[in-house]
Amino acid sequence: IYTFYLNSDDGSTLSIDNHLIIDNDGYHYGNEKAGQMALAKGFHFIQLAYFQGKFGTELDVKIKSKGTEKKEIPKEMLWH
C-alpha cells in the first residue's frame, strides 16, 4: 500500500490506472491532500492534472510506503 501526497496552489488531481486517488481541485492557497492505493509490482499509468489560477505556483507529489519516509517520487520509478 502506497500513500501519495499532492500539494498544490490551485487545482490538481492525481490518478493511477484511471482511478482518482487525490482530488485537490479548485482555487486555493498551498494545500496538501493524501490518498492511498495498493499497487502490484510492475508498471502503472500515473496522471497528474494541474491548473494555475492566481498568485503562488506550488506543485509537488510525494510517496510513502511501509517502512519508508515521505519523499518525492524517485526518477527511477517514472517512465514515459
Side-chain angles (χ1 to χ4, degrees), residues 37-57:
M37 185 172 191
L39 297 174
K41 187 175 183 176
F43 293 98
H44 298 276
F45 178 73
I46 296 176
Q47 181 179 16
L48 173 64
Y50 170 73
F51 78 88
Q52 175 55 48
K54 301 177 183 177
F55 310 112
T57 58

Side-chain angles (χ1 to χ4, degrees), residues 53-79:
K54 301 177 183 177
F55 310 112
T57 58
E58 296 176 43
L59 178 65
D60 63 70
V61 180
K62 295 185 177 171
I63 188 172
K64 182 182 183 327
S65 61
K66 186 176 180 181
T68 67
E69 297 290 321
K70 179 169 84 168
K71 61 183 178 182
E72 289 185 11
I73 299 175
K75 64 181 179 181
E76 296 80 22
M77 292 181 73
L78 300 173
W79 298 82

Side-chain angles (χ1 to χ4, degrees), residues 3-8 12-16 21-22 24 31-35 46-50 58-64 70-74 78:
T3 304
F4 295 88
Y5 302 87
L6 177 57
N7 178 47
S8 65
S12 59
T13 59
L14 177 70
S15 298
I16 300 175
I21 303 302
I22 303 173
N24 198 6
N31 185 39
E32 182 178 79
K33 289 194 175 182
I46 296 176
Q47 181 179 16
L48 173 64
Y50 170 73
E58 296 176 43
L59 178 65
D60 63 70
V61 180
K62 295 185 177 171
I63 188 172
K64 182 182 183 327
K70 179 169 84 168
K71 61 183 178 182
E72 289 185 11
I73 299 175
L78 300 173

